[in-house]
Amino acid sequence: MSPRLRRLGLALAACGLFSGAAADTEVSVADAGRDAYSQPFPGLTEAERDHFFRGRSLFRQSWVVSPAKDTEVDGLGPLYNRLACISCHARNGRGFAPDRPGERMQTMLLRLSVPGIGAHGGPLPHPAYGDQFNEEGIPGVPGEGRAETAWTETEVVLPGGETVMLRQPAFTFSELAYGPIEPVLVSARIGQPVFGMGLLDAVSAEELERMAAEAKPDGVGGRVNRVWDAAAGRAMAGRLGYKANMPNLRQQIAGAMLGDLGITSPLFGAQNCTPAQAACRQAPDGGHPELTGAQLDDMEFYLAHLAAPERRRVDDPRVRQGERLFAAIGCTACHRPLVVTGEHPKFPRLAHRAIAPYSDLLLHDMGEGLADRRPDYLANGREWRTAPLWGIGLAELIGERVGYLHDGRARSLLEAVLWHGGEAAPAQARFSTLPAPERSALLAFLASL
Amino acid sequence: MTTRIDPIRRRLLAGLAASLVAPGLLAAETRRTVRVLTSYPDAVVARFESAFEAAHPEYRLQFVWRMPHDAQPYLEAPGQNGVDVYWAASPRVFSALARAGRLQKLGLDTTGLPDRLGNAPLADPDGYYRCTEMAGYGFVVNPDALAGLGLAAPADWSDLADPRYAGRIALPIPARVGFAPPMVEIVLQAWGWQAGWALWSEIAGNAVLLDRNSTFVTDEVASGRLLVGLSIDFFVASAIANGVPVRFAYPRHGGINPAQVAIPAAAPDPAGGRAFAAFVLSDAGQRLLGHPDIRKLPVRPAVYAELPAGYYNPFAAAGLGAFDYDGDSARTRLALSAALFEQTFVADHAAHAALWQRVHAAEAAGKAVAAARRALATVPLDEAAAADPALRGLFQGRLEGSAAEPAGKVEQAWRARAAALRAEADAALKEVAA
C-alpha cells in the first residue's frame, strides 16, 4: 500500500467507512492454505528475508539439554513445558486443550500464582512451583508433576432447537515433586496464533487509551492493562497475551522462552527455579544468557513480520450479511475491525498501518463463566483481553486440532461465542436469539476472517 | 433482553463455576516415563507422542532432542543418559553405536517389514536397529517456471548440467545441511568417481548455494526465483500437501536416507523403549508418516494402500532400479566427500560458477573447450586416496548437525589445488578466446 493509499485508509477509517475488507497488502497475504499463518510481509528485502528465516529457524528449533555440542541452541530447562516454540503454536496457529482423560497438555500450560501482588504489580508466584507449572525436567531434575484436565459438560438449547454442548475444565495435579501445591490460583492457556503480533505491538499506548475512553454501547467498558516492561524498568501499557500482560513483542518472546522452555535471555537472565527446586538450581546451563541478544533479535524480527492472512469470500452475500450482523448486535464494540498502528522505530514497516485485527487489545469483564479468578496486573479474574479474530476462519484448516478461548474449552466458534458473558452478555444474548440462518451467516463471516 | 438461553446459561454457569482446580481429586496412576532421544522436528514428535500415549496409557514419553552428531556422545556417556530408545535418521550413528556395543538387540516382530529396498538395507544384519522410515532424494521443480523457459522437469542428475539452469538451481551445501551428504554419493556411485565429480562440478557451477537455517528450497522454487532445487522428498511432499505450487521428481538414479530405531544397551526401561519402537513400526505408526506435515516413506509396504492417492511408493520404484544406491557402502566416505565438495565447489563458489558460465558461453559459440572442462571436472583427490581409512578417519566425527569446522591442512590443500585447477581452466578459456 502506498503512503497515499495508507493515508486514504486512515481517512476512510476516520469517516467510519473502513469495513475491514480492504487489507493492507504490504502487511497481509492472500494465502488461504495451511501456510497462511507462516508468510512474511510481501516485499521484504533480501537482508530482511535472511533475518526472517533465521528467526523462523529459532522458532522451530527444538532446544537441547546442556552440555551439548550445539551450543547455540542448548540450555533447555532445567524445568520446561515443551521443546520448541512451534510445539505450542503449530504452523504458527493456535493450540488446543486435552480432550481425553490422562491426555498430556501438548499445546497448553497452566499459569500459577497465590493471592497477593508480586514484584512490579504482577501475579505473586507460587513459592515452590513459580508462576507456571512445568511438567518436564531435564535428566536429573524432577519435573514439577503432572497436570490433567477433566471436563464438565452441559447442554445448551438455542432458539430453533439447536443444541450445543459447552464444557468447562477443572485441573488436577499429581506426582508433585516439590511438595503440596494448594492453595494455588490456576489459569490455563492454549498457544495463541503468532502472526500479526508485530502490528499489535505497534499500536500506541495513546491509541489504546483513546479506544478505552470511547463511549460504547451495552455498558461495554474496556481498559488498558498496565504491566511491567523489563527493558524499560517501568510500567507500560499491555498489548499482548490473553490478559494483555505483556507490553511488547520482545518481552512476550523472552517471557515464553523462559516460562515454556526454560531458556534465559538478555531480558530474563535467571533460570526458572524456585528456592525449593535444588536440583534445578544446580543444573548445567547453556550460557549466560542461553538465548543471545542476536537470537532474540532474529525471533523478534520473524514474529514482527509474519503477515496476517487476508479475508476471503468478502463479496459472498451470506458473509456480508454476517458482517452486518456482527456489527449490529454489538460485537464490534470490542472486536474492532479497524485499529491504527503508531510509530515503530525498530520496524518501520509496522508503523502507521490501518489493520483489521478485530480486537481493541483492551481488558473486558467477560463474566463468571470465563473467570479464572487469577489477577494479572490490573486484570482481575473476570477480565480478558479481546481476542484478535483475524485469520480465525483458517484455524481449523491449519491445525487439525484447535481450541478457542484462553483454555481451549470451546471446540467451535459457536461455542466460543456462547461463552461470552459480562460486558459481552448483551451481544451474546442477541446472537443466541438470532434465527438460525442469521447465526449461521454471522459464523460464515467469522470464517471469512 | 430476556431469552430462552439466559436461564440455561445461569444453570450452566452455576454448575460449571466451581473452582478451576479440583482439590482432592487424584489424577490417574503414575505412568512410566520412556525417554526417547531424537532429532525429529516437532511436527513428527508431537504426532507420535500423542498417538503412542493414546495407544499406551501406561507410558509417558519424554523426548530429549539432539542432532546426530550430538546424540552419539550422549549415548556413549556412562549410563547412556537414561535413554530408553534412540529414534533418528543417521545410519552412521546407529552403525557406530552397534559396533561399539552400545545397543541391545531390538528383538521386535518384523513380520511385514522388508530387510532391503533395492540395494539399501533396511535392517541391521545383526539385529541391533531397524529402519523406521525412508526419505528419497530428488528435485523440487516449479513446473510453470520451467515451462516458461521451454524446459522439461529434470529426469536425472545429468540434466542439471544444462546451461539453461545457470544460476537457477538451489543446492543445499552438503557439508552444512544435514540431509545433503548422501546426494553427493548417489551421483558418485551411479556415474563413478571421475564422471560423478565432473557432473557435480557442472551442477555446482549452475547452482545457488543454500546454507543451514536459511531459506527453504521450496520457498525459492515456489517463488520462481529458482527453477529447481535439490532436496530430500519429505520437505517437498509436505509443502505440496500444504498447498505450495511445486512438484517433486525422483531421478532415475535415486537413493534413500533411512531413519532407524534402537534400544541402548543401558536403557533403564527397555520394555518401554521397545513398546515405542514397536509402535513406530506398527501399521498405526507407519500411517502417521503420511500426515501432510510429515510425508515420509513408510517401511511397511502394506501401509501404502492406505496413504493418499499418488503417494510415492519406493518399493514399486525399487523394482525398476531406482534405488541401486547402497548407503552402507558409502557411509564411511560421506563426510569426506562432503568436505571435498566444500573445498572444491563451495569455498570459492563465485569463481567456480563464473568459469562454468564462460565454458558454456564458449561452447554455445562453437568453440572447443575440452581443456577447460577437464580442469574444472577434476577434483583434488582420486578414488584410491579417498579410500584411505586414515584420511576418512579425519572426517568421521562430522555427522548430521555438525557445525562447519575450520578447514584442516588436508582441506586447505584441496582448496589450493582446486584454485590451481580453476587457474588452468581460466588460462585454457583465455587461449580459446584469443
Side-chain angles (χ1 to χ4, degrees), chain B residues 1-75:
Chain B
M1 182 181 292
T2 303
T3 71
R4 186 182 169 193
I5 194 171
D6 281 338
I8 297 168
R9 274 190 65 80
R10 276 196 296 276
R11 285 200 299 279
L12 167 74
L13 297 179
L16 297 185
S19 168
L20 292 176
V21 188
L25 280 181
L26 290 176
E29 61 189 75
T30 302
R31 298 176 179 85
R32 285 159 57 188
T33 296
V34 175
R35 187 172 292 166
V36 185
L37 180 65
T38 191
S39 55
Y40 278 110
D42 184 76
V44 177
V45 166
R47 290 186 174 86
F48 277 87
E49 174 187 67
S50 180
F52 175 77
E53 290 182 348
H56 289 276
E58 70 274 28
Y59 293 118
R60 183 178 173 94
L61 299 177
Q62 183 189 31
F63 287 93
V64 176
W65 199 90
R66 269 176 139 73
M67 284 296 283
H69 77 112
D70 217 358
Q72 186 171 333
Y74 200 68
L75 289 171

Side-chain angles (χ1 to χ4, degrees), chain A residues 33-35 49 53-54 56-57 60-70 80 82-84 86-87 91 100-104 106 135-140 146 148 152-159 161 166-175 182 184 186 368-369 371-373 400-401 409 418-421 428-430 432-433, chain B residues 1-6 8-9 11-13 15-31 33 35 38 40-43 45-47 49-51 53-55 60-67 69-70 73-74 81 212-216 219-220 223 225 238-239 241-244 291-293 397 401-403:
Chain A
R34 295 190 73 231
D35 284 333
R49 285 168 53 81
F53 293 139
R54 288 198 302 274
R56 178 172 70 178
S57 291
R60 297 178 180 201
Q61 177 69 48
S62 292
W63 286 75
V64 178
V65 177
S66 298
K69 285 186 172 181
D70 285 325
Y80 63 99
R82 302 294 285 170
L83 298 181
I86 199 80
S87 304
R91 304 192 75 82
R100 57 182 166 76
E103 185 178 1
R104 73 161 67 227
Q106 270 197 315
E135 293 191 68
E136 307 296 335
I138 63 171
R146 302 298 172 210
E148 294 193 11
T152 305
E153 290 205 276
T154 303
E155 183 178 84
V156 173
V157 183
L158 297 174
L166 296 184
R167 62 176 189 173
Q168 179 150 355
F171 305 104
T172 54
F173 295 99
S174 63
E175 302 177 45
E182 294 181 46
V184 62
V186 177
E368 191 59 22
D372 65 355
R373 302 180 187 83
E400 62 259 48
R401 287 179 74 180
R409 69 179 68 188
L418 294 178
W419 272 109
H420 281 53
Q428 186 275 131
R430 290 187 200 106
S432 299
T433 54
Chain B
M1 182 181 292
T2 303
T3 71
R4 186 182 169 193
I5 194 171
D6 281 338
I8 297 168
R9 274 190 65 80
R11 285 200 299 279
L12 167 74
L13 297 179
L16 297 185
S19 168
L20 292 176
V21 188
L25 280 181
L26 290 176
E29 61 189 75
T30 302
R31 298 176 179 85
T33 296
R35 187 172 292 166
T38 191
Y40 278 110
D42 184 76
V45 166
R47 290 186 174 86
E49 174 187 67
S50 180
E53 290 182 348
R60 183 178 173 94
L61 299 177
Q62 183 189 31
F63 287 93
V64 176
W65 199 90
R66 269 176 139 73
M67 284 296 283
H69 77 112
D70 217 358
Y74 200 68
N81 278 295
R212 69 163 80 176
N213 296 338
S214 68
T215 179
F216 293 159
D219 289 342
E220 294 304 305
S223 69
R225 286 188 290 276
S238 176
N242 287 308
V244 176
H291 188 282
D293 294 350
S402 293

Side-chain angles (χ1 to χ4, degrees), chain B residues 76 114 161 177 202 212 225 234 246 264 282 287 292 313 352 371 380 417 424:
Chain B
E76 290 169 347
V177 178
E202 199 157 3
R212 69 163 80 176
R225 286 188 290 276
F234 62 87
V246 294
S282 71
R287 276 196 300 271
N313 185 338
H352 181 78
R417 176 65 182 142
E424 282 180 33

Side-chain angles (χ1 to χ4, degrees), chain A residues 294-315:
Chain A
Q295 288 176 312
L296 182 55
D297 289 345
D298 290 340
M299 295 184 75
E300 186 183 11
F301 188 92
Y302 169 64
L303 291 169
H305 294 85
L306 270 176
E310 291 177 12
R311 285 188 58 195
R312 288 117 9 243
R313 303 182 299 281
V314 291
D315 296 325

Side-chain angles (χ1 to χ4, degrees), chain B residues 115-404:
Chain B
D115 287 342
R116 301 192 76 79
L117 172 74
N119 281 340
L122 301 180
D124 173 38
D126 297 323
Y128 286 103
Y129 54 90
R130 174 166 280 279
C131 179
T132 55
E133 50 92 351
M134 304 169 284
Y137 291 92
F139 316 133
V140 51
V141 298
N142 183 324
D144 292 341
L146 283 174
L149 295 173
L151 285 166
D156 211 350
W157 303 89
S158 49
D159 292 342
L160 302 176
D162 190 318
R164 289 176 292 179
Y165 284 122
R168 307 297 296 277
I169 298 172
L171 171 59
I173 300 172
R176 306 182 205 175
V177 178
F179 72 78
M183 291 193 310
V184 179
E185 287 289 339
I186 289 169
V187 170
L188 296 184
Q189 273 193 18
W191 270 262
W193 181 264
Q194 284 192 323
W197 279 116
L199 179 53
W200 268 126
S201 176
E202 199 157 3
I203 294 172
N206 276 346
V208 172
L209 304 177
L210 300 187
D211 209 336
R212 69 163 80 176
N213 296 338
S214 68
T215 179
F216 293 159
V217 175
T218 45
D219 289 342
E220 294 304 305
V221 175
S223 69
R225 286 188 290 276
L226 300 176
L227 298 173
V228 179
L230 311 188
S231 185
I232 201 159
D233 55 5
F234 62 87
F235 285 135
V236 185
S238 176
I240 293 169
N242 287 308
V244 176
V246 294
R247 289 192 188 150
F248 190 79
Y250 290 89
R252 275 195 296 275
H253 295 89
I256 59 153
N257 194 43
Q260 292 84 9
V261 70
I263 311 298
D269 189 348
R274 282 194 177 85
F276 181 74
F279 178 80
V280 170
L281 291 165
S282 71
D283 277 9
Q286 294 284 295
R287 276 196 300 271
L288 286 177
L289 298 170
H291 188 282
D293 294 350
I294 301 177
R295 291 287 154 129
K296 305 255 186 177
L297 302 174
V299 289
R300 190 175 280 283
V303 165
Y304 284 88
E306 302 172 56
L307 297 179
Y311 208 98
Y312 182 71
N313 185 338
F315 291 101
L320 304 173
F323 292 102
D324 289 346
Y325 171 68
D326 176 1
D328 270 8
S329 69
R331 183 173 302 152
T332 58
R333 202 173 68 183
L334 273 181
L336 184 153
S337 54
L340 183 58
F341 194 107
E342 178 85 13
Q343 298 306 323
T344 311
F345 307 136
V346 175
D348 301 293
H349 180 254
H352 181 78
L355 283 166
W356 272 113
Q357 286 188 18
R358 287 166 61 194
V359 167
H360 291 150
E363 288 176 338
K367 295 176 178 172
V369 290
R373 269 192 170 273
R374 205 164 37 247
L376 287 175
T378 303
V379 288
L381 191 70
D382 63 31
E383 187 169 16
D388 177 4
L391 184 63
R392 291 188 184 190
L394 293 177
F395 302 96
Q396 67 182 4
R398 298 188 189 179
L399 297 163
E400 294 90 342
S402 293

